[in-house]
Amino acid sequence: MQQPIRILHLLYCMDRAGAETMVMNYYRNVDKSKVQFDFLLTRDGKSDFDDEILSMGGRIYHIPGLSFSNPFKYLNSLKAFLNEHPEYKIIHSHTDCKSTIPLWVAKKQNIPVRISHSHTSSTGGGVQGIIKSIVKKPIKKVATNYFACGEAASKFLYGQTSDENDKIKIIPNAIDAAAYSYNPETRKRIRAQFNLEDKFVLGHVGRFATPKNHEFLIDIFSAVHKKNPDTALLLVGEGELTDKIKEKVSALNLSDSVVFAGLRDDIPDVLQAMDLFVFPSLFEGLGIVAIEAQAAGLRVICSDAVPKEANISGYVSYIPLSKSADEWASEVLKLSGGYTRENTFELVKKANYDIKESAKDLQDFYLALYN
């Protein structure tokens, strides 16, 4: 029996975040008798998806992370790993700007297929942003294939769109669209779980980190709540800013109206409980949770930093980040009277965001590259 080809994915960890969730969606849906995913991670310790990866036959390896105070530790560890594992002919890096470095090592080690995958549209600013801007410049010289989650992410990392360079392949952050279809019974169950039965529920899913702009989200909800006390905010996720956001919620006397749901493995169900998805990100490569929200039949209000291609249903409204929290709140309250939740499965599928077809496309692409 022919063994599956093995693709080595490079990431920091495999927790429940955007790029990681996207990789897992594809992994669950490829034919694992033909293609297997393995993971080389630079964070020690167990990640959220480790058990599932191992259950599907994937392998997980760890090497020290890249440190600018001692980069040779990372470089030498990666070189040694690739020497010990000649079975990997395809390396797929999800580390955005920093992909330049591992793919340069892979090129030196004569790995024939070196995929760079852009998941963002900004360096994030600051000193780290300056460093990333410098590091990303040689990416097209060390990668053999250029992937991106959308055209904004492509333009950011490669300086071109897929229309301008046929080496660039847009890999949609596809989802199991059927799993998100609106279900009134699921909605009732989750709302009861969080004591939200009689509330107009604003929702957000995302890591508590600067790009997701939770502080402004709390300001928006505060403005909404002052005008309509029968509102609640349901926040899904964790991160380095969780405690700071909890402190802000407490200071604004909103603790009884804001639910911190933490990490969840039932996002399709939790989305059913929401009435409106609010997404004021500072930047996004695409914004996969906006796609998921639309798949659940939700209206979405998001910042103008979210790429327009995220609007696959016509149910997305864009508001400039320059607008005040009160102005955002006015737009939110326009939908507080309710609307009909529709089954958007066909819209998601038509926009090529259904994982069944997208996974087959990526699988065939890997096989063609390998052969």
Side-chain angles (χ1 to χ4, degrees), residues 334-355:
K334 288 178 182 178
L335 291 167
S336 61
Y339 54 87
T340 301
R341 292 277 282 268
E342 298 177 9
N343 187 322
T344 56
F345 175 81
E346 290 300 329
L347 290 174
V348 176
K349 187 175 180 180
K350 184 178 180 181
N352 297 319
Y353 283 96
D354 182 47
I355 193 63

Side-chain angles (χ1 to χ4, degrees), residues 96-115:
D96 292 311
C97 301
K98 292 186 286 187
S99 290
T100 298
I101 298 168
L103 295 184
W104 172 75
V105 175
K107 183 177 181 180
K108 292 290 185 181
Q109 297 303 113
N110 298 313
I111 305 298
V113 180
R114 305 175 299 276
I115 302 170

Side-chain angles (χ1 to χ4, degrees), residues 14-297:
M14 282 305 293
D15 283 345
R16 297 182 189 279
E20 294 81 359
T21 299
M22 169 262 177
V23 174
M24 289 302 294
N25 282 339
Y26 276 90
Y27 187 22
R28 295 179 188 114
N29 287 278
V30 296
D31 182 344
K32 282 169 278 293
S33 70
K34 297 179 179 179
V35 175
Q36 258 293 352
F37 285 12
D38 296 332
F39 298 83
L40 182 61
L41 310 177
T42 55
R43 189 192 75 182
D44 285 334
K46 188 175 181 179
S47 297
D48 296 335
F49 288 123
D50 281 8
D51 289 341
E52 185 179 0
I53 289 169
L54 296 173
S55 73
M56 292 191 290
R59 301 167 185 167
I60 303 170
Y61 306 96
H62 295 87
I63 61 172
L66 177 64
S67 166
F68 288 102
S69 61
N70 186 8
F72 296 105
K73 187 176 183 180
Y74 169 79
L75 296 173
N76 292 334
S77 297
L78 179 56
K79 181 179 178 181
F81 176 87
L82 294 176
N83 282 335
E84 293 168 9
H85 294 274
E87 67 269 26
Y88 294 115
K89 306 301 181 187
I90 299 177
I91 289 184
H92 189 156
S93 177
H94 301 269
T95 55
D96 292 311
C97 301
K98 292 186 286 187
S99 290
T100 298
I101 298 168
L103 295 184
W104 172 75
V105 175
K107 183 177 181 180
K108 292 290 185 181
Q109 297 303 113
N110 298 313
I111 305 298
V113 180
R114 305 175 299 276
I115 302 170
S116 162
H117 198 141
S118 179
H119 293 275
T120 188
S121 60
S122 172
T123 60
V127 175
Q128 285 289 325
I130 294 171
I131 294 171
K132 290 178 182 179
S133 293
I134 296 170
V135 170
K136 77 174 184 176
K137 289 183 178 179
I139 189 70
K140 290 198 287 187
K141 294 182 179 180
V142 295
T144 57
N145 299 84
Y146 317 142
F147 285 7
C149 64
E151 297 296 359
S154 175
K155 194 76 173 178
F156 162 71
L157 191 56
Y158 312 121
Q160 295 173 303
T161 65
S162 61
D163 290 334
E164 297 168 329
N165 186 337
D166 59 11
K167 274 193 174 183
I168 297 171
K169 183 175 177 63
I170 301 300
I171 305 294
N173 286 2
I175 61 174
D176 183 356
Y180 289 83
S181 296
Y182 179 57
N183 185 315
E185 290 303 314
T186 300
R187 172 182 170 82
K188 183 178 180 180
R189 173 174 58 84
I190 299 295
R191 286 172 74 92
Q193 179 181 328
F194 291 118
N195 296 315
L196 298 171
E197 290 96 329
D198 301 320
K199 302 292 186 180
F200 175 66
V201 180
L202 282 63
H204 183 275
V205 178
R207 180 174 173 78
F208 281 70
T210 299
K212 301 303 179 185
N213 208 9
H214 281 85
E215 287 206 55
F216 186 51
L217 176 58
I218 300 304
D219 290 336
I220 295 168
F221 178 68
S222 178
V224 169
H225 196 260
K226 287 175 183 175
K227 296 178 181 179
N228 183 353
D230 291 327
T231 53
L233 177 61
L234 176 55
L235 300 175
V236 181
E238 290 183 356
E240 59 268 23
L241 297 181
T242 302
D243 289 342
K244 183 177 181 180
I245 298 304
K246 286 182 177 179
E247 290 170 6
K248 178 165 184 168
V249 167
S250 178
L252 291 170
N253 296 315
L254 292 170
S255 297
D256 291 340
S257 299
V258 178
V259 176
F260 289 87
L263 292 175
R264 305 277 301 199
D265 59 6
D266 58 347
I267 299 301
D269 289 353
V270 176
L271 287 170
Q272 309 297 323
M274 300 174 185
D275 295 302
L276 179 66
F277 196 86
V278 185
F279 198 46
S281 296
L282 297 175
F283 57 86
E284 292 284 345
L286 175 71
I288 180 57
V289 290
I291 304 293
E292 292 174 333
Q294 291 169 84

